Short mmCIF file of all heavy atoms in Angstrom, two decimals:
data_model
loop_
_atom_site.label_atom_id
_atom_site.label_comp_id
_atom_site.label_asym_id
_atom_site.label_seq_id
_atom_site.Cartn_x
_atom_site.Cartn_y
_atom_site.Cartn_z
N GLY A 1 90.99 84.83 79.01
CA GLY A 1 89.63 85.08 79.35
C GLY A 1 88.77 85.25 78.11
O GLY A 1 89.22 85.51 77.02
N THR A 2 87.51 85.07 78.34
CA THR A 2 86.53 85.22 77.28
C THR A 2 85.78 86.53 77.47
O THR A 2 85.39 86.87 78.58
CB THR A 2 85.51 84.06 77.32
OG1 THR A 2 86.23 82.84 77.29
CG2 THR A 2 84.57 84.13 76.15
N ARG A 3 85.59 87.25 76.40
CA ARG A 3 84.83 88.49 76.45
C ARG A 3 83.44 88.29 75.90
O ARG A 3 83.25 87.63 74.89
CB ARG A 3 85.50 89.56 75.60
CG ARG A 3 86.58 90.28 76.27
CD ARG A 3 86.95 91.48 75.47
NE ARG A 3 88.18 92.02 76.03
CZ ARG A 3 88.78 93.08 75.58
NH1 ARG A 3 88.32 93.71 74.54
NH2 ARG A 3 89.86 93.50 76.16
N ILE A 4 82.49 88.89 76.59
CA ILE A 4 81.12 88.89 76.08
C ILE A 4 80.89 90.26 75.46
O ILE A 4 81.01 91.28 76.13
CB ILE A 4 80.11 88.63 77.20
CG1 ILE A 4 80.37 87.26 77.82
CG2 ILE A 4 78.69 88.76 76.68
CD1 ILE A 4 79.52 86.98 79.04
N ILE A 5 80.59 90.26 74.17
CA ILE A 5 80.41 91.52 73.45
C ILE A 5 78.94 91.63 73.05
O ILE A 5 78.38 90.73 72.42
CB ILE A 5 81.31 91.57 72.20
CG1 ILE A 5 82.78 91.47 72.62
CG2 ILE A 5 81.05 92.84 71.42
CD1 ILE A 5 83.74 91.37 71.48
N CYS A 6 78.31 92.74 73.46
CA CYS A 6 76.91 93.00 73.11
C CYS A 6 76.85 94.25 72.27
O CYS A 6 77.55 95.23 72.55
CB CYS A 6 76.07 93.21 74.37
SG CYS A 6 76.11 91.81 75.50
N ASP A 7 76.02 94.24 71.26
CA ASP A 7 75.88 95.44 70.45
C ASP A 7 74.89 96.40 71.09
O ASP A 7 74.15 96.06 72.01
CB ASP A 7 75.48 95.10 69.02
CG ASP A 7 74.14 94.44 68.92
OD1 ASP A 7 73.64 93.96 69.95
OD2 ASP A 7 73.58 94.40 67.81
N ARG A 8 74.90 97.63 70.63
CA ARG A 8 74.09 98.70 71.20
C ARG A 8 72.60 98.40 71.11
O ARG A 8 71.85 98.63 72.06
CB ARG A 8 74.42 100.00 70.47
CG ARG A 8 73.71 101.21 71.00
CD ARG A 8 74.16 102.46 70.23
NE ARG A 8 73.60 103.64 70.82
CZ ARG A 8 72.42 104.15 70.50
NH1 ARG A 8 71.68 103.55 69.59
NH2 ARG A 8 71.98 105.24 71.08
N LYS A 9 72.16 97.87 70.01
CA LYS A 9 70.75 97.58 69.80
C LYS A 9 70.23 96.58 70.84
O LYS A 9 69.17 96.76 71.42
CB LYS A 9 70.52 97.05 68.39
CG LYS A 9 69.08 96.76 68.08
CD LYS A 9 68.93 96.19 66.67
CE LYS A 9 67.50 95.79 66.43
NZ LYS A 9 67.31 95.06 65.19
N PHE A 10 71.01 95.53 71.09
CA PHE A 10 70.62 94.52 72.07
C PHE A 10 70.50 95.13 73.47
O PHE A 10 69.55 94.87 74.21
CB PHE A 10 71.64 93.37 72.09
CG PHE A 10 71.41 92.37 73.18
CD1 PHE A 10 70.36 91.48 73.12
CD2 PHE A 10 72.23 92.37 74.31
CE1 PHE A 10 70.14 90.57 74.14
CE2 PHE A 10 72.02 91.46 75.33
CZ PHE A 10 70.97 90.56 75.25
N LEU A 11 71.47 95.96 73.86
CA LEU A 11 71.44 96.58 75.18
C LEU A 11 70.25 97.52 75.32
O LEU A 11 69.62 97.58 76.38
CB LEU A 11 72.75 97.33 75.45
CG LEU A 11 73.98 96.43 75.59
CD1 LEU A 11 75.23 97.29 75.71
CD2 LEU A 11 73.84 95.52 76.78
N LEU A 12 69.91 98.27 74.28
CA LEU A 12 68.76 99.17 74.34
C LEU A 12 67.45 98.39 74.44
O LEU A 12 66.51 98.82 75.09
CB LEU A 12 68.74 100.10 73.13
CG LEU A 12 69.81 101.19 73.14
CD1 LEU A 12 69.81 101.94 71.82
CD2 LEU A 12 69.62 102.13 74.30
N GLU A 13 67.39 97.22 73.79
CA GLU A 13 66.19 96.38 73.90
C GLU A 13 66.06 95.77 75.29
O GLU A 13 64.95 95.57 75.78
CB GLU A 13 66.23 95.28 72.84
CG GLU A 13 66.01 95.80 71.43
CD GLU A 13 66.18 94.73 70.37
OE1 GLU A 13 66.45 93.56 70.74
OE2 GLU A 13 66.06 95.05 69.19
N CYS A 14 67.18 95.50 75.96
CA CYS A 14 67.15 94.91 77.30
C CYS A 14 66.50 95.84 78.32
O CYS A 14 65.87 95.38 79.27
CB CYS A 14 68.55 94.55 77.75
SG CYS A 14 69.21 93.11 76.91
N LYS A 15 66.66 97.15 78.16
CA LYS A 15 66.10 98.06 79.16
C LYS A 15 64.57 98.07 79.13
O LYS A 15 63.94 98.46 80.10
CB LYS A 15 66.63 99.48 78.98
CG LYS A 15 66.01 100.25 77.84
CD LYS A 15 66.49 101.67 77.84
CE LYS A 15 65.76 102.47 76.79
NZ LYS A 15 66.11 103.87 76.81
N ASN A 16 63.96 97.61 78.05
CA ASN A 16 62.50 97.57 77.95
C ASN A 16 61.90 96.22 78.35
O ASN A 16 60.69 96.06 78.31
CB ASN A 16 62.07 97.92 76.52
CG ASN A 16 62.42 99.33 76.16
OD1 ASN A 16 62.43 100.21 76.99
ND2 ASN A 16 62.75 99.54 74.90
N SER A 17 62.74 95.28 78.75
CA SER A 17 62.22 93.96 79.12
C SER A 17 61.51 94.04 80.47
O SER A 17 61.86 94.86 81.32
CB SER A 17 63.34 92.94 79.17
OG SER A 17 64.15 93.17 80.30
N PRO A 18 60.51 93.18 80.70
CA PRO A 18 59.80 93.19 81.99
C PRO A 18 60.72 92.89 83.18
O PRO A 18 60.52 93.41 84.27
CB PRO A 18 58.76 92.09 81.84
CG PRO A 18 58.61 91.89 80.37
CD PRO A 18 59.92 92.25 79.76
N ALA A 19 61.74 92.08 82.98
CA ALA A 19 62.65 91.75 84.08
C ALA A 19 63.46 92.97 84.52
O ALA A 19 63.83 93.10 85.68
CB ALA A 19 63.60 90.63 83.66
N ALA A 20 63.73 93.89 83.60
CA ALA A 20 64.50 95.08 83.94
C ALA A 20 63.64 96.12 84.66
O ALA A 20 64.18 96.99 85.33
CB ALA A 20 65.09 95.70 82.68
N ARG A 21 62.34 96.03 84.55
CA ARG A 21 61.45 97.02 85.16
C ARG A 21 61.03 96.68 86.57
O ARG A 21 60.52 97.53 87.29
CB ARG A 21 60.20 97.20 84.30
CG ARG A 21 60.52 97.80 82.96
CD ARG A 21 59.28 97.85 82.10
NE ARG A 21 59.61 98.38 80.81
CZ ARG A 21 59.13 99.52 80.34
NH1 ARG A 21 58.30 100.21 81.04
NH2 ARG A 21 59.48 99.93 79.15
N THR A 22 61.22 95.45 87.03
CA THR A 22 60.80 95.06 88.37
C THR A 22 62.02 94.79 89.24
O THR A 22 63.01 94.25 88.77
CB THR A 22 59.94 93.79 88.32
OG1 THR A 22 60.70 92.75 87.70
CG2 THR A 22 58.67 94.00 87.53
N PRO A 23 61.96 95.19 90.52
CA PRO A 23 63.09 94.90 91.39
C PRO A 23 63.12 93.42 91.74
O PRO A 23 62.10 92.74 91.65
CB PRO A 23 62.81 95.75 92.63
CG PRO A 23 61.35 95.98 92.61
CD PRO A 23 60.93 95.97 91.17
N PRO A 24 64.25 92.90 92.15
CA PRO A 24 64.32 91.49 92.56
C PRO A 24 63.37 91.23 93.73
O PRO A 24 63.16 92.09 94.59
CB PRO A 24 65.78 91.31 93.00
CG PRO A 24 66.51 92.43 92.37
CD PRO A 24 65.56 93.55 92.20
N CYS A 25 62.82 90.02 93.81
CA CYS A 25 61.83 89.71 94.83
C CYS A 25 62.43 89.60 96.23
O CYS A 25 61.75 89.87 97.21
CB CYS A 25 61.10 88.42 94.48
SG CYS A 25 62.18 86.98 94.43
N CYS A 26 63.67 89.23 96.36
CA CYS A 26 64.28 89.01 97.67
C CYS A 26 65.19 90.15 98.09
O CYS A 26 66.09 89.98 98.91
CB CYS A 26 65.08 87.71 97.65
SG CYS A 26 64.06 86.28 97.26
N LEU A 27 64.98 91.33 97.57
CA LEU A 27 65.81 92.49 97.88
C LEU A 27 65.52 92.97 99.30
O LEU A 27 64.37 93.21 99.65
CB LEU A 27 65.52 93.61 96.88
CG LEU A 27 66.49 94.76 96.81
CD1 LEU A 27 67.85 94.26 96.33
CD2 LEU A 27 65.98 95.81 95.85
N PRO A 28 66.54 93.09 100.16
CA PRO A 28 66.29 93.54 101.53
C PRO A 28 65.92 95.02 101.55
O PRO A 28 66.34 95.79 100.69
CB PRO A 28 67.62 93.30 102.23
CG PRO A 28 68.64 93.35 101.16
CD PRO A 28 67.95 92.82 99.92
N GLN A 29 65.11 95.40 102.54
CA GLN A 29 64.71 96.80 102.69
C GLN A 29 65.77 97.53 103.50
O GLN A 29 65.89 97.35 104.69
CB GLN A 29 63.35 96.89 103.39
CG GLN A 29 62.22 96.30 102.58
CD GLN A 29 61.99 97.06 101.29
OE1 GLN A 29 62.08 98.29 101.25
NE2 GLN A 29 61.69 96.33 100.23
N THR A 30 66.58 98.35 102.83
CA THR A 30 67.62 99.13 103.47
C THR A 30 67.25 100.60 103.35
O THR A 30 67.13 101.12 102.24
CB THR A 30 68.98 98.87 102.82
OG1 THR A 30 69.23 97.47 102.81
CG2 THR A 30 70.09 99.58 103.55
N LEU A 31 67.03 101.26 104.47
CA LEU A 31 66.64 102.66 104.44
C LEU A 31 67.72 103.51 103.79
O LEU A 31 68.89 103.39 104.10
CB LEU A 31 66.36 103.17 105.85
CG LEU A 31 65.16 102.57 106.54
CD1 LEU A 31 65.03 103.11 107.95
CD2 LEU A 31 63.90 102.86 105.76
N GLY A 32 67.31 104.36 102.88
CA GLY A 32 68.24 105.23 102.19
C GLY A 32 68.90 104.59 100.99
O GLY A 32 69.55 105.27 100.21
N VAL A 33 68.76 103.28 100.82
CA VAL A 33 69.37 102.61 99.67
C VAL A 33 68.28 102.04 98.76
O VAL A 33 68.14 102.47 97.62
CB VAL A 33 70.33 101.49 100.12
CG1 VAL A 33 70.92 100.76 98.92
CG2 VAL A 33 71.43 102.05 100.99
N THR A 34 67.52 101.08 99.26
CA THR A 34 66.46 100.49 98.45
C THR A 34 65.11 101.15 98.71
O THR A 34 64.18 100.97 97.94
CB THR A 34 66.33 98.98 98.72
OG1 THR A 34 66.10 98.78 100.12
CG2 THR A 34 67.58 98.25 98.31
N SER A 35 64.99 101.90 99.80
CA SER A 35 63.78 102.67 100.07
C SER A 35 64.20 103.97 100.72
O SER A 35 65.24 104.06 101.36
CB SER A 35 62.84 101.89 101.00
OG SER A 35 63.46 101.67 102.24
N LEU A 36 63.38 105.01 100.52
CA LEU A 36 63.72 106.30 101.10
C LEU A 36 63.63 106.24 102.61
O LEU A 36 62.71 105.67 103.18
CB LEU A 36 62.76 107.37 100.59
CG LEU A 36 62.93 107.78 99.13
CD1 LEU A 36 61.86 108.79 98.76
CD2 LEU A 36 64.30 108.36 98.89
N ALA A 37 64.61 106.82 103.25
CA ALA A 37 64.60 106.89 104.71
C ALA A 37 63.54 107.90 105.15
O ALA A 37 63.20 108.83 104.42
CB ALA A 37 65.98 107.31 105.23
N GLN A 38 63.00 107.72 106.33
CA GLN A 38 61.98 108.63 106.84
C GLN A 38 62.51 110.05 106.94
O GLN A 38 61.82 111.00 106.66
CB GLN A 38 61.46 108.15 108.20
CG GLN A 38 60.71 106.84 108.14
CD GLN A 38 59.46 106.93 107.27
OE1 GLN A 38 58.81 107.96 107.21
NE2 GLN A 38 59.15 105.85 106.60
N SER A 39 63.78 110.19 107.31
CA SER A 39 64.36 111.52 107.41
C SER A 39 64.45 112.16 106.03
O SER A 39 64.26 113.37 105.88
CB SER A 39 65.74 111.47 108.06
OG SER A 39 66.62 110.69 107.28
N SER A 40 64.71 111.36 105.00
CA SER A 40 64.76 111.89 103.64
C SER A 40 63.38 112.38 103.21
O SER A 40 63.26 113.43 102.58
CB SER A 40 65.25 110.83 102.65
OG SER A 40 66.55 110.44 102.96
N LEU A 41 62.34 111.62 103.56
CA LEU A 41 60.99 112.06 103.23
C LEU A 41 60.64 113.34 103.95
O LEU A 41 60.02 114.24 103.37
CB LEU A 41 59.98 110.96 103.59
CG LEU A 41 60.05 109.69 102.75
CD1 LEU A 41 59.11 108.64 103.32
CD2 LEU A 41 59.70 109.99 101.31
N ALA A 42 61.04 113.46 105.21
CA ALA A 42 60.78 114.67 105.97
C ALA A 42 61.51 115.86 105.36
O ALA A 42 60.96 116.96 105.26
CB ALA A 42 61.18 114.48 107.42
N LYS A 43 62.75 115.64 104.92
CA LYS A 43 63.52 116.72 104.30
C LYS A 43 62.88 117.15 102.99
O LYS A 43 62.83 118.34 102.68
CB LYS A 43 64.96 116.28 104.06
CG LYS A 43 65.78 116.18 105.32
CD LYS A 43 67.19 115.71 105.01
CE LYS A 43 67.99 115.52 106.28
NZ LYS A 43 69.35 115.03 106.01
N LEU A 44 62.38 116.20 102.20
CA LEU A 44 61.72 116.55 100.94
C LEU A 44 60.48 117.39 101.20
O LEU A 44 60.24 118.38 100.51
CB LEU A 44 61.36 115.27 100.17
CG LEU A 44 62.50 114.53 99.51
CD1 LEU A 44 61.99 113.21 98.92
CD2 LEU A 44 63.14 115.36 98.43
N GLU A 45 59.69 117.01 102.20
CA GLU A 45 58.49 117.77 102.55
C GLU A 45 58.87 119.18 102.99
O GLU A 45 58.24 120.16 102.61
CB GLU A 45 57.71 117.07 103.66
CG GLU A 45 57.10 115.75 103.25
CD GLU A 45 55.95 115.93 102.28
OE1 GLU A 45 55.27 116.96 102.34
OE2 GLU A 45 55.75 115.02 101.44
N GLU A 46 59.94 119.29 103.79
CA GLU A 46 60.38 120.60 104.29
C GLU A 46 60.83 121.49 103.13
O GLU A 46 60.50 122.68 103.08
CB GLU A 46 61.52 120.41 105.29
CG GLU A 46 62.03 121.69 105.89
CD GLU A 46 63.18 121.45 106.85
OE1 GLU A 46 63.24 120.37 107.46
OE2 GLU A 46 64.01 122.37 106.98
N LEU A 47 61.57 120.91 102.18
CA LEU A 47 62.03 121.68 101.03
C LEU A 47 60.85 122.16 100.18
O LEU A 47 60.85 123.29 99.69
CB LEU A 47 63.00 120.86 100.18
CG LEU A 47 64.38 120.64 100.77
CD1 LEU A 47 65.17 119.67 99.90
CD2 LEU A 47 65.12 121.95 100.89
N LYS A 48 59.85 121.30 100.00
CA LYS A 48 58.67 121.69 99.23
C LYS A 48 57.96 122.85 99.91
O LYS A 48 57.57 123.82 99.26
CB LYS A 48 57.71 120.51 99.07
CG LYS A 48 58.17 119.48 98.10
CD LYS A 48 57.18 118.34 98.01
CE LYS A 48 57.66 117.23 97.11
NZ LYS A 48 56.72 116.11 97.06
N GLU A 49 57.79 122.76 101.23
CA GLU A 49 57.12 123.82 101.97
C GLU A 49 57.91 125.12 101.89
O GLU A 49 57.35 126.19 101.73
CB GLU A 49 56.92 123.41 103.43
CG GLU A 49 55.89 122.32 103.61
CD GLU A 49 55.80 121.84 105.05
OE1 GLU A 49 56.46 122.43 105.93
OE2 GLU A 49 55.05 120.88 105.29
N ARG A 50 59.23 125.02 102.01
CA ARG A 50 60.08 126.21 101.95
C ARG A 50 59.97 126.87 100.58
O ARG A 50 59.87 128.09 100.47
CB ARG A 50 61.52 125.83 102.25
CG ARG A 50 62.44 127.04 102.36
CD ARG A 50 63.87 126.66 102.64
NE ARG A 50 63.96 125.91 103.89
CZ ARG A 50 65.02 125.20 104.24
NH1 ARG A 50 66.05 125.12 103.43
NH2 ARG A 50 65.05 124.56 105.39
N ASN A 51 60.00 126.07 99.51
CA ASN A 51 59.89 126.63 98.16
C ASN A 51 58.54 127.30 97.95
O ASN A 51 58.46 128.36 97.33
CB ASN A 51 60.11 125.54 97.10
CG ASN A 51 61.57 125.13 97.00
OD1 ASN A 51 62.45 125.87 97.41
ND2 ASN A 51 61.80 123.95 96.46
N GLU A 52 57.47 126.68 98.46
CA GLU A 52 56.15 127.27 98.32
C GLU A 52 56.05 128.58 99.09
O GLU A 52 55.47 129.54 98.60
CB GLU A 52 55.08 126.29 98.80
CG GLU A 52 54.90 125.10 97.88
CD GLU A 52 53.98 124.04 98.46
OE1 GLU A 52 53.49 124.21 99.59
OE2 GLU A 52 53.75 123.03 97.77
N SER A 53 56.64 128.64 100.29
CA SER A 53 56.57 129.87 101.08
C SER A 53 57.41 130.97 100.44
O SER A 53 57.04 132.14 100.49
CB SER A 53 57.01 129.61 102.52
OG SER A 53 58.38 129.25 102.55
N GLU A 54 58.54 130.62 99.83
CA GLU A 54 59.37 131.62 99.16
C GLU A 54 58.66 132.18 97.94
O GLU A 54 58.79 133.35 97.62
CB GLU A 54 60.72 131.02 98.76
CG GLU A 54 61.64 130.78 99.93
CD GLU A 54 62.94 130.12 99.53
OE1 GLU A 54 63.11 129.81 98.32
OE2 GLU A 54 63.78 129.90 100.42
N GLU A 55 57.90 131.34 97.23
CA GLU A 55 57.17 131.81 96.07
C GLU A 55 56.04 132.75 96.48
O GLU A 55 55.71 133.68 95.76
CB GLU A 55 56.61 130.63 95.29
CG GLU A 55 57.67 129.80 94.59
CD GLU A 55 57.09 128.55 93.95
OE1 GLU A 55 55.87 128.33 94.05
OE2 GLU A 55 57.87 127.80 93.35
N ALA A 56 55.47 132.52 97.65
CA ALA A 56 54.36 133.34 98.12
C ALA A 56 54.84 134.70 98.63
O ALA A 56 54.09 135.66 98.61
CB ALA A 56 53.61 132.61 99.22
N MET A 57 56.10 134.79 99.06
CA MET A 57 56.63 136.05 99.59
C MET A 57 56.90 137.01 98.44
O MET A 57 57.33 136.62 97.36
CB MET A 57 57.93 135.80 100.36
CG MET A 57 57.74 134.98 101.62
SD MET A 57 59.30 134.65 102.44
CE MET A 57 59.72 136.28 102.99
N PRO A 58 56.66 138.32 98.67
CA PRO A 58 56.98 139.29 97.62
C PRO A 58 58.49 139.39 97.44
O PRO A 58 59.27 139.07 98.34
CB PRO A 58 56.39 140.59 98.16
CG PRO A 58 56.30 140.39 99.63
CD PRO A 58 56.08 138.93 99.84
N ASP A 59 58.90 139.84 96.27
CA ASP A 59 60.33 139.97 95.99
C ASP A 59 60.95 141.00 96.91
O ASP A 59 60.41 142.09 97.12
CB ASP A 59 60.56 140.37 94.54
CG ASP A 59 60.17 139.27 93.58
OD1 ASP A 59 60.19 138.10 94.00
OD2 ASP A 59 59.85 139.58 92.41
N GLN A 60 62.09 140.68 97.46
CA GLN A 60 62.84 141.58 98.30
C GLN A 60 64.19 141.79 97.68
O GLN A 60 64.72 140.94 96.98
CB GLN A 60 62.98 141.01 99.71
CG GLN A 60 61.68 140.83 100.42
CD GLN A 60 61.91 140.21 101.81
OE1 GLN A 60 62.99 139.75 102.12
NE2 GLN A 60 60.87 140.21 102.60
N ASP A 61 64.76 142.97 97.96
CA ASP A 61 66.09 143.24 97.45
C ASP A 61 67.09 142.29 98.10
O ASP A 61 66.95 141.93 99.27
CB ASP A 61 66.51 144.68 97.74
CG ASP A 61 65.67 145.68 96.95
OD1 ASP A 61 65.14 145.29 95.89
OD2 ASP A 61 65.54 146.82 97.41
N GLN A 62 68.10 141.91 97.34
CA GLN A 62 69.07 140.99 97.88
C GLN A 62 69.90 141.67 98.96
O GLN A 62 70.23 141.08 99.98
CB GLN A 62 69.97 140.48 96.77
CG GLN A 62 70.95 139.42 97.24
CD GLN A 62 71.75 138.82 96.09
OE1 GLN A 62 71.59 139.24 94.96
NE2 GLN A 62 72.58 137.87 96.39
N PHE A 63 70.25 142.96 98.73
CA PHE A 63 71.04 143.71 99.69
C PHE A 63 70.31 145.00 100.01
O PHE A 63 69.72 145.62 99.13
CB PHE A 63 72.43 144.05 99.13
CG PHE A 63 73.22 142.83 98.75
CD1 PHE A 63 73.35 142.46 97.41
CD2 PHE A 63 73.84 142.06 99.71
CE1 PHE A 63 74.08 141.34 97.06
CE2 PHE A 63 74.57 140.95 99.35
CZ PHE A 63 74.68 140.59 98.04
N GLU A 64 70.39 145.42 101.27
CA GLU A 64 69.83 146.71 101.64
C GLU A 64 70.98 147.72 101.69
O GLU A 64 72.05 147.42 102.21
CB GLU A 64 69.15 146.62 103.00
CG GLU A 64 67.92 145.77 102.98
CD GLU A 64 67.24 145.76 104.34
OE1 GLU A 64 67.57 146.61 105.19
OE2 GLU A 64 66.37 144.90 104.54
N MET A 65 70.73 148.90 101.17
CA MET A 65 71.77 149.93 101.16
C MET A 65 71.29 151.13 101.96
O MET A 65 70.19 151.61 101.79
CB MET A 65 72.08 150.35 99.73
CG MET A 65 72.69 149.25 98.89
SD MET A 65 73.08 149.79 97.24
CE MET A 65 74.43 150.89 97.57
N ASP A 66 72.15 151.61 102.84
CA ASP A 66 71.88 152.83 103.57
C ASP A 66 72.53 153.97 102.83
O ASP A 66 73.75 153.98 102.62
CB ASP A 66 72.43 152.76 105.00
CG ASP A 66 71.69 151.71 105.82
OD1 ASP A 66 70.52 151.46 105.52
OD2 ASP A 66 72.31 151.17 106.77
N ILE A 67 71.74 154.95 102.45
CA ILE A 67 72.30 156.08 101.69
C ILE A 67 72.32 157.31 102.56
O ILE A 67 71.50 157.62 103.31
CB ILE A 67 71.48 156.35 100.42
CG1 ILE A 67 71.54 155.12 99.53
CG2 ILE A 67 72.00 157.58 99.71
CD1 ILE A 67 70.75 155.22 98.28
#
């Protein structure tokens, strides 16, 4: 077999090429793979809302102790 050997500099330059920045034109739309699924978007929104509500709540003790 034949090996194709690329040096580090060439590979780093390839990531900045215009072809590497655009997705292929004929890529199928697969939910959760090539595009975010609607449920994933809903979960992200829910997590954001939960984090915002937790930040708004005053600090509470992690454990309550009865003395």
Side-chain angles (χ1 to χ4, degrees):
T2 306
R3 276 193 191 181
I4 299 173
I5 299 174
C6 301
D7 63 344
R8 183 177 186 273
K9 182 181 175 189
F10 173 74
L11 293 174
L12 288 173
E13 289 174 2
C14 286
K15 77 174 186 176
N16 295 327
S17 72
R21 294 175 182 244
T22 58
C25 63
C26 300
L27 194 64
Q29 295 296 322
T30 306
L31 293 177
V33 178
T34 57
S35 63
L36 289 177
Q38 294 298 327
S39 62
S40 297
L41 292 174
K43 287 179 184 179
L44 286 174
E45 293 290 330
E46 181 181 331
L47 288 173
K48 286 180 184 178
E49 290 175 5
R50 187 181 301 165
N51 286 340
E52 290 172 358
S53 65
E54 287 177 358
E55 290 174 0
M57 294 177 69
D59 292 334
Q60 297 178 349
D61 293 335
Q62 185 174 3
F63 301 103
E64 292 182 15
M65 295 182 69
D66 294 332
I67 298 179

